[in-house]
Amino acid sequence: MRWRTLVASALLLVTAAACGPGKVSPTDSLVARASATDHLTIGIRFDAPGLSERTVDGRFVGFDVDVATFVASELGVAAKDITWRETTSATRETDLTSGAVDLVVATYSITDKRKQLVSFAGPYFTTGQDLLVRRTSPDITGPETLNGRRLCSVTGSTPAEQVRDRFAQAVQLVEYPRYPDCVTALLAGQIDAMTTDGVILAGYVTRDPELLKVVGKPFSKESYGVGLRKGDTQGVNAVDDAIRKMISSGEWLRSLNANIGPSGYQLPAPPEVTEK
Ligand code: GLU
């Protein structure tokens, strides 16, 4: 009998703790969740040099990491209380809708299709889709020169979708889950070019500057937003305010100069954080 009483009391304690102060439901605004738990789980890429990368000693560095850290701090969450979780191009929406992450800061273009599933704050950066080629391929000068060639991109990304819509007849599209897989295939001569946002491609050139180059003729406009659970207007407003503050305080430019500057990528002007 006694052990049953003990188990029942323990269960009561656990239930009380789960419902007590500091606990929030997954449908609460990001703002309420951040202030109640002092913790955020943020989805980022682990493999985009200059933007967001996991170092060999387990740290996370890059412009997206700085944006995420700034936003978290404005929501009252210290850098040490952020859990970084890898998200890939194809999993960003489900990572948000399943509640696996609170926020996505991962080279995430704001699109109407994605807005059906998630909400966006921002934009916080603008770039354009471009091509990465081997230095030994001077004849690839734009998407119109890809006739009959193999082009690599990542499943779930806007560049892969755009290529399918605009150049599908001419190009043989090869899709991988992650961009470094495309870079490896390009270096090995298995594909002829790779496409994604210019700022991402610039980061890969810094790794192999003697072998790779960006064509440098962007053919889309990508506006990066911070992804939140759909309908969290309070969260969107709070993240918008944080992005505006990051830009006006000079921290936005400092981070870009430090993280993207070394690649030589021409930095754009700060975007206007608008109604989405
Ligand atoms: N910004 C584009 C996108 O959101 C391409 C980069 C990526 O795959 O994350 O799809």
Side-chain angles (χ1 to χ4, degrees):
M1 255 337 247
R2 200 173 154 68
W3 68 269
R4 275 202 197 129
T5 319
L6 275 172
V7 170
S9 318
L11 272 174
L12 259 176
L13 274 174
V14 169
T15 316
C19 300
K23 292 290 163 190
V24 280
S25 109
T27 54
D28 283 342
S29 168
L30 171 75
V31 178
R33 279 179 288 136
S35 82
T37 63
D38 289 334
H39 175 266
L40 284 174
T41 302
I42 304 184
I44 54 162
R45 322 194 75 96
F46 280 16
D47 54 18
L51 286 156
S52 119
E53 204 179 17
R54 187 187 176 148
T55 61
V56 276
D57 56 345
R59 288 175 304 115
F60 293 92
V61 290
F63 174 62
D64 270 358
V65 173
D66 286 353
V67 170
T69 308
F70 194 96
V71 166
S73 140
E74 288 299 297
L75 294 170
V77 175
K80 67 172 180 31
D81 296 319
I82 298 171
T83 300
W84 301 107
R85 202 184 140 116
E86 185 181 26
T87 192
T88 61
S89 298
T91 60
R92 289 173 291 203
E93 285 83 42
T94 44
D95 284 346
L96 281 167
T97 53
S98 69
V101 300
D102 297 302
L103 282 175
V104 164
V105 188
T107 67
Y108 199 11
S109 297
I110 302 172
T111 70
D112 287 340
K113 190 172 159 200
R114 290 173 177 162
K115 277 197 268 180
Q116 292 171 11
L117 296 169
V118 303
S119 288
F120 284 102
Y124 65 88
F125 190 75
T126 52
T127 178
Q129 181 175 356
D130 213 317
L131 297 173
L132 182 72
V133 293
R134 290 183 292 274
R135 282 200 171 271
T136 49
S137 307
D139 43 338
I140 304 181
T141 52
E144 65 291 343
T145 59
L146 287 169
N147 257 346
R149 292 186 152 125
R150 287 157 306 171
L151 176 67
C152 190
S153 200
V154 160
T155 310
S157 69
T158 49
E161 229 168 73
Q162 265 147 185
V163 165
R164 235 180 281 118
D165 294 351
R166 292 167 59 186
F167 309 104
Q169 318 290 302
V171 177
Q172 195 187 319
L173 181 64
V174 181
E175 287 184 50
Y176 285 121
R178 289 179 176 77
Y179 291 111
D181 302 331
C182 287
V183 178
T184 306
L186 182 61
L187 289 167
Q190 290 160 354
I191 54 154
D192 303 298
M194 152 181 178
T195 186
T196 188
D197 306 333
V199 69
I200 301 178
L201 297 177
Y204 293 123
V205 174
T206 60
R207 293 291 150 85
D208 290 290
E210 65 296 339
L211 297 173
L212 299 174
K213 63 169 186 180
V214 177
V215 167
K217 281 196 223 134
F219 50 97
S220 78
K221 182 168 180 209
E222 309 291 324
S223 297
Y224 289 176
V226 174
L228 292 88
R229 193 176 45 73
K230 187 170 165 65
D232 183 1
T233 314
Q234 194 192 357
V236 168
N237 291 338
V239 177
D240 277 351
D241 285 347
I243 294 169
R244 284 192 195 97
K245 185 166 171 188
M246 187 176 182
I247 293 171
S248 65
S249 67
E251 180 53 26
W252 183 87
L253 190 57
R254 188 213 60 77
S255 173
L256 281 173
N257 280 329
N259 292 295
I260 307 294
S263 73
Y265 182 82
Q266 173 124 34
L267 297 180
E272 216 181 303
V273 182
T274 47
E275 285 296 308
K276 281 147 296 275

